[in-house]
Amino acid sequence: MKWNELNLGLTVRIVEGHDSGFGGRCGEIVSIGTFEGYSKRIGAMIDIGEPLLMVIEPEALEEASKVLIGIRMGRV
């Protein structure tokens, strides 16, 4: 994705093989901006249904449907 395509609440998927180890996981964007104290300084903070929030650069995200995220997080 591109920076200007990021929106709060958008459901996204982290691309397979991402160096975070969470490639293929889906989540919802909860914040967008510059994050200090993390290896990636600019990106989107994503809730992936774990007890942590991921900061992922826009290039490593792709839009996902709400149905897909519900299935992956056990909500559907």
Side-chain angles (χ1 to χ4, degrees), residues 6-39:
L6 301 178
N7 291 303
L8 295 179
L10 181 67
T11 55
V12 293
R13 181 176 175 271
I14 303 168
V15 295
E16 293 288 341
H18 188 264
D19 61 357
S20 67
F22 290 94
R25 298 292 300 270
C26 293
E28 187 173 301
I29 296 177
V30 296
S31 184
I32 302 165
T34 300
F35 303 95
E36 297 293 332
Y38 192 76
S39 62

Side-chain angles (χ1 to χ4, degrees), residues 35-56:
F35 303 95
E36 297 293 332
Y38 192 76
S39 62
K40 306 292 184 204
R41 290 183 47 90
I42 299 176
M45 186 174 289
I46 303 172
D47 178 358
I48 61 169
E50 298 283 336
L52 61 106
L53 298 171
M54 301 295 304
V55 175
I56 306 291

